Amino acid sequence: MALQHTSLHHLLTPLLSSFRNVPLASTAFKMATTTAKRSFSSTPSLSRREKGPQKDQRIQLIRYHMQHPRTPRPLKLSRMRALRHWTIHRAWMLARRKRAENEENELQRMYQSMHSAMEELRNLDLPGKKDSGRLYRIALEKKGIFGHGGVPIEYARAQTDTPAKEPWNHGWTR
Amino acid sequence: MSSPQFSIGTKLNRQKGSTRVCSDCISKSSTSSLHPYTNTTRRNYAVATTAIKTTNGNAFDVKVRSAPPVTGTLEPSHYTTKAGILLSRPPLLTRNLDPFEKAFFFYQKRLNERLAIPFTRYFYFKKDTPADADWKLKARERNWAAARDLGGYQAYGKEGWNDEVLVGDRTAEPGFAIKKLIEDSMVRAVEGKDGQAVEVKPGEVAEGQEEVVKPKDRKTKSDKKNRREKLDRKLDRTLYLVVKRKGNGRGWELPCGELVGRENLHQAAERILVQSAGLNMNTWIVGHVPIGHHIQKPHYNPDSSLLRQGSKTFFMKGRIMAGQADLTANQFGLTDFNWLTREEIEEEFHPKLYKSVHNMLAER
């Protein structure tokens, strides 16, 4: 293949053959003036790389930091230590489940309370009377509860770990 | 927020279609609605046994409750309908962690130290700068560990295996972590002559020291003095408004009152709240659906005539966002108010009232 390559060399156009002689350190304006020394493309970033000023050390620093020699490996725990870890994990799972179940039960109780209140409301009046069940029907209406002004913004006060300087504004007036 | 409509005596505008009946109720008729399993007519309301009149003469399930007997429209009802309000201040702080949780979080933080790339000082601090000197000063005091709240644990050192603390160690407390973080925020090295780092003397405050805002205690003054009428007490719990009525033998209750005119429940609740506890509270009634109810049975004479009406109170859920209750102009003869947690309500309320009310109350 090399022989073929060298035999074809003289068939290359003069322009292409002149590229082989372009020195690496030649600048753009030199290329523009001389026909023999021209770069492959006129875009500076795509042109052959020059030595340039000293590289930014920050990039080197980032690379070294990412390729830290003490990259952590999976933990190796002794038998008793592993047992303690397993126990702690089981205990945490249990505690989490207990908390979730309590929340579930709380919601269930609240719902049941609402449901029985609504049942009582439904059976307030006797069925034959005029307007019986009026309060029940009005209670079930959903007009405007999510519309503009449905929920006040002060309701969205988030919980914090520590209280504010004035935790509650007792002196609020309308 | 719109002001509550509590003008008594004015007719409320009856909008067309405000008393709607759902299509299920319209399509249902008593003869065609048969119970799917027993194939008997299903009645959902209480009737007295003597008043049964059927079209097909079948015996069917009848629920005879201790509800009022069937009466005509002329006789007054044995129960009045009342609206009550459960006004709650939601918790303002996150929940308290129990000891297992605190210990577990500390354990996880130390495990994380073992599984994360060790701290590289050169990446964050340039050599011979005041910041670098400051960091070295502080790190020397915590065994050259990067983490400030782990009690000087070095995951990549000789003692890396020793990541468990012993029983009774106070390092796991969140208060300890906060204390250490605040100590660490004090600047201990500044730029002196010729750009050299100079240590700040122990008593002095450095020039570039920013003001460190220390977090407040989770227990406020009202907690310490147990001021039950204050709303900044027990910030990690829900507080509920309870009132005391005039009269001997009356205990603590939730504010309630009778419905006036053609009010509905949430309108009545707003009116009752303002009439009981004043206007200077930023409150909101959550929806139109009652969250609980309490029934007081009527009292009868020996000859079964009505002596005193019973009542059916339907409680509405309300939230308070600012302000305080004020009983000076109240129209229900209330003498005192308190903001109590769930456990305190259990102590103070009559057992029957608590039984009706306790399912509405939140755990926290």
Side-chain angles (χ1 to χ4, degrees):
Chain A
M1 283 298 279
L3 275 168
Q4 275 186 337
H5 177 70
T6 46
S7 62
L8 287 168
H9 179 70
H10 66 278
L11 294 173
L12 289 171
T13 58
L15 178 66
L16 278 175
S17 59
S18 73
F19 288 164
R20 294 169 70 77
N21 301 324
V22 170
L24 286 166
S26 64
T27 53
F29 79 93
K30 269 200 215 158
M31 288 176 201
T33 49
T34 59
T35 49
K37 297 174 183 183
R38 246 187 296 187
S39 90
F40 213 77
S41 107
S42 56
T43 319
S45 60
L46 295 173
S47 62
R48 270 259 184 70
R49 269 197 205 106
E50 313 166 331
K51 197 68 186 181
Q54 204 213 357
K55 289 200 175 93
D56 200 346
Q57 274 209 319
R58 292 180 292 181
I59 298 160
Q60 188 188 45
L61 216 64
I62 291 169
R63 215 175 65 240
Y64 284 1
H65 180 68
M66 288 168 70
Q67 297 159 2
H68 199 283
R70 291 164 121 192
T71 313
R73 295 174 300 171
L75 280 179
K76 281 186 238 178
L77 304 173
S78 74
R79 221 176 267 273
M80 288 312 290
R81 175 69 181 84
L83 186 68
R84 287 195 292 276
H85 180 79
W86 178 84
T87 314
I88 291 167
H89 175 71
R90 287 290 297 267
W92 180 251
M93 294 276 113
L94 209 68
R96 209 179 67 173
R97 186 182 166 89
K98 194 175 159 192
R99 212 176 315 125
E101 276 182 357
N102 279 339
E103 282 175 20
E104 189 76 32
N105 288 337
E106 180 195 359
L107 285 174
Q108 204 174 56
R109 278 195 298 273
M110 286 179 154
Y111 182 83
Q112 291 291 340
S113 175
M114 274 177 80
H115 184 82
S116 45
M118 283 305 273
E119 265 301 291
E120 199 58 52
L121 194 63
R122 192 171 68 90
N123 297 326
L124 260 187
D125 303 314
L126 295 167
K129 277 158 70 174
K130 179 183 182 235
D131 246 4
S132 51
R134 178 183 143 261
L135 288 174
Y136 177 75
R137 275 178 273 124
I138 292 172
L140 286 174
E141 278 176 3
K142 310 274 184 256
K143 273 199 303 252
I145 56 172
F146 297 120
H148 193 67
V151 182
I153 191 67
E154 301 95 335
Y155 190 52
R157 179 171 175 168
Q159 292 172 11
T160 51
D161 280 329
T162 51
K165 256 197 293 250
E166 194 198 7
W168 190 266
N169 181 10
H170 288 90
W172 187 90
T173 51
R174 196 164 280 279
Chain B
M1 238 192 64
S2 62
S3 56
Q5 303 290 328
F6 60 96
S7 50
I8 307 153
T10 58
K11 264 198 190 157
L12 293 165
N13 261 340
R14 262 242 257 156
Q15 296 159 350
K16 280 220 164 74
S18 64
T19 52
R20 294 187 291 247
V21 186
C22 71
S23 52
D24 265 346
C25 295
I26 290 170
S27 60
K28 240 185 231 184
S29 66
S30 58
T31 49
S32 62
S33 62
L34 292 174
H35 194 281
Y37 302 117
T38 59
N39 214 37
T40 54
T41 311
R42 185 183 5 198
R43 273 181 208 263
N44 290 325
Y45 43 83
V47 287
T49 31
T50 49
I52 297 166
K53 276 191 170 29
T54 60
T55 49
N56 49 17
N58 283 349
F60 51 86
D61 292 331
V62 169
K63 275 204 178 100
V64 179
R65 297 196 224 137
S66 55
V70 175
T71 56
T73 47
L74 291 174
E75 207 187 298
S77 171
H78 290 221
Y79 289 90
T80 57
T81 313
K82 292 170 92 174
I85 174 152
L86 180 77
L87 194 66
S88 58
R89 186 223 68 192
L92 301 178
L93 297 182
T94 50
R95 69 183 168 91
N96 287 331
L97 298 173
D98 41 55
F100 174 54
E101 282 180 306
K102 290 184 208 167
F104 181 77
F105 293 148
F106 186 77
Y107 174 73
Q108 288 289 307
K109 277 197 252 182
R110 280 208 168 174
L111 269 187
N112 185 57
E113 284 292 299
R114 293 177 84 168
L115 295 167
I117 288 178
F119 182 74
T120 40
R121 180 164 51 91
Y122 65 82
F123 184 75
Y124 296 100
F125 299 101
K126 197 164 175 189
K127 207 171 145 183
D128 293 332
T129 53
D132 187 42
D134 176 79
W135 196 91
K136 277 199 284 192
L137 239 170
K138 291 170 187 168
R140 197 170 282 127
E141 288 163 6
R142 48 168 195 260
N143 196 26
W144 290 104
R148 293 163 176 97
D149 54 345
L150 295 184
Y153 170 64
Q154 273 278 34
Y156 286 89
K158 288 205 182 94
E159 298 265 308
W161 59 271
N162 193 12
D163 62 339
E164 294 162 287
V165 287
L166 303 174
V167 171
D169 208 301
R170 306 289 298 173
T171 328
E173 298 289 323
F176 178 85
I178 290 170
K179 190 165 80 90
K180 285 290 169 192
L181 288 171
I182 291 170
E183 274 174 26
D184 197 78
S185 67
M186 308 303 283
V187 173
R188 305 247 308 260
V190 284
E191 191 174 345
K193 266 196 310 198
D194 313 324
Q196 293 294 313
V198 169
E199 196 181 326
V200 173
K201 292 191 185 65
E204 286 173 8
V205 176
E207 255 180 59
Q209 175 75 50
E210 282 172 10
E211 202 215 317
V212 178
V213 182
K214 294 191 177 64
K216 300 252 173 304
D217 197 9
R218 281 170 72 102
K219 289 217 180 319
T220 56
K221 206 161 62 169
S222 305
D223 267 309
K224 294 184 184 115
K225 296 186 180 166
N226 200 26
R227 301 278 300 276
R228 288 187 162 194
E229 73 281 3
K230 287 282 189 183
L231 277 153
D232 56 353
R233 187 179 76 102
K234 299 224 187 251
L235 293 172
D236 62 314
R237 308 292 312 282
T238 312
L239 292 180
Y240 300 99
L241 178 67
V242 297
V243 289
K244 204 169 206 169
R245 238 177 247 259
K246 206 159 43 186
N248 35 359
R250 291 204 81 124
W252 292 98
E253 305 170 338
L254 295 175
C256 56
E258 300 223 355
L259 288 170
V260 168
R262 287 184 66 79
E263 268 183 330
N264 45 31
L265 284 175
H266 64 272
Q267 289 169 350
E270 279 188 22
R271 172 184 62 81
I272 288 158
L273 184 62
V274 173
Q275 285 178 347
S276 313
L279 274 170
N280 294 330
M281 293 196 296
N282 190 359
T283 55
W284 178 54
I285 306 283
V286 182
H288 306 331
V289 182
I291 55 168
H293 68 290
H294 176 63
I295 301 174
Q296 273 180 318
K297 295 226 177 86
H299 292 242
Y300 297 102
N301 285 320
D303 63 345
S304 295
S305 64
L306 186 67
L307 175 67
R308 196 173 75 195
Q309 269 186 325
S311 67
K312 289 186 181 174
T313 315
F314 295 96
F315 298 107
M316 303 301 288
K317 180 178 181 139
R319 289 291 217 202
I320 181 169
M321 279 93 64
Q324 175 65 294
D326 180 20
L327 296 183
T328 49
N330 82 84
Q331 301 180 17
F332 294 95
L334 306 170
T335 52
D336 201 9
F337 74 90
N338 265 349
W339 292 93
L340 302 181
T341 59
R342 186 201 170 90
E343 288 85 26
E344 288 160 358
I345 285 180
E346 188 173 4
E347 285 170 12
E348 301 288 348
F349 272 23
H350 189 273
K352 283 212 175 109
L353 179 61
Y354 183 69
K355 188 160 171 252
S356 305
V357 149
H358 78 287
N359 282 335
M360 300 193 281
L361 308 178
E363 282 293 323
R364 187 164 86 84

